[in-house]
Amino acid sequence: MLPWLNLVDVVRDGKNYRFRHRLVGTGIVERFGRDSTGAWFDEIYDAEFFGEHLKSYADLVDKGRVDLARTPMPIPEKNFIIYQRLALPLATDGVTVDMIMIVIDFDEPRGA
C-alpha cells in the first residue's frame, strides 16, 4: 500500500486550514510526475483545483468522516487521468483531525 499512500498534515489557522503533503508514496510520485512531499497545497496546485479540493478537505476535517471520491489529476496537462481517492481523517488526540491519510487508485492498470 505504501506506494499509493499520501499523508497530509492539517494546519489550523483559526477557522481556516492549510494542507501540506507529509508523505507521498512512490507510485503516486511516478504517476503525477513530481514529488510533492513537504509542499503546501496552495503553493503547488492551480487555483481552480485548489478551490474545489480545499472545500472537500475542509469538510472532511470539520466532519471527521471518511471521503471517497473520483477526481481528475490536479495537473493541467494530466487532468484527463481520473483516479479514486479514499481519504481518512486522523486525530492525534482522538477528536481534532490533524492529518489525512489518503489511498489512491488509478482507473487504468498500473502497468499501462
Side-chain angles (χ1 to χ4, degrees), residues 63-99:
K63 296 174 183 172
R65 293 188 191 143
V66 172
D67 184 48
L68 179 63
R70 289 174 45 85
T71 186
M73 277 201 161
I75 302 168
E77 61 273 7
K78 293 185 175 188
N79 67 1
F80 62 91
I81 298 173
I82 305 296
Y83 66 92
Q84 296 178 76
R85 71 165 172 79
L86 174 63
L88 307 162
L90 304 175
T92 303
D93 66 4
V95 177
T96 306
V97 175
D98 55 6
M99 185 177 291

Side-chain angles (χ1 to χ4, degrees), residues 27-76:
I28 298 169
V29 169
E30 182 180 305
R31 286 298 180 93
F32 279 62
R34 67 180 182 202
D35 186 355
S36 300
T37 301
W40 293 95
F41 282 28
D42 57 345
E43 295 175 346
I44 60 171
Y45 298 123
D46 69 46
E48 181 181 342
F49 175 85
F50 179 69
E52 292 173 16
H53 279 68
L54 180 62
K55 180 173 178 3
S56 171
Y57 284 115
D59 284 348
L60 182 139
V61 170
D62 289 339
K63 296 174 183 172
R65 293 188 191 143
V66 172
D67 184 48
L68 179 63
R70 289 174 45 85
T71 186
M73 277 201 161
I75 302 168

Side-chain angles (χ1 to χ4, degrees), residues 1-9 19-29 32 34-39 41 44-45 49 53 57 74 83-90 99-105:
M1 291 289 298
L2 191 56
W4 309 107
L5 187 70
N6 179 208
L7 295 178
V8 176
D9 289 324
F19 301 96
R20 178 180 52 221
H21 290 287
R22 174 181 287 251
L23 175 126
V24 181
T26 56
I28 298 169
V29 169
F32 279 62
R34 67 180 182 202
D35 186 355
S36 300
T37 301
F41 282 28
I44 60 171
Y45 298 123
F49 175 85
H53 279 68
Y57 284 115
Y83 66 92
Q84 296 178 76
R85 71 165 172 79
L86 174 63
L88 307 162
L90 304 175
M99 185 177 291
I100 303 169
M101 182 171 69
I102 301 168
V103 180
I104 292 180
D105 184 42

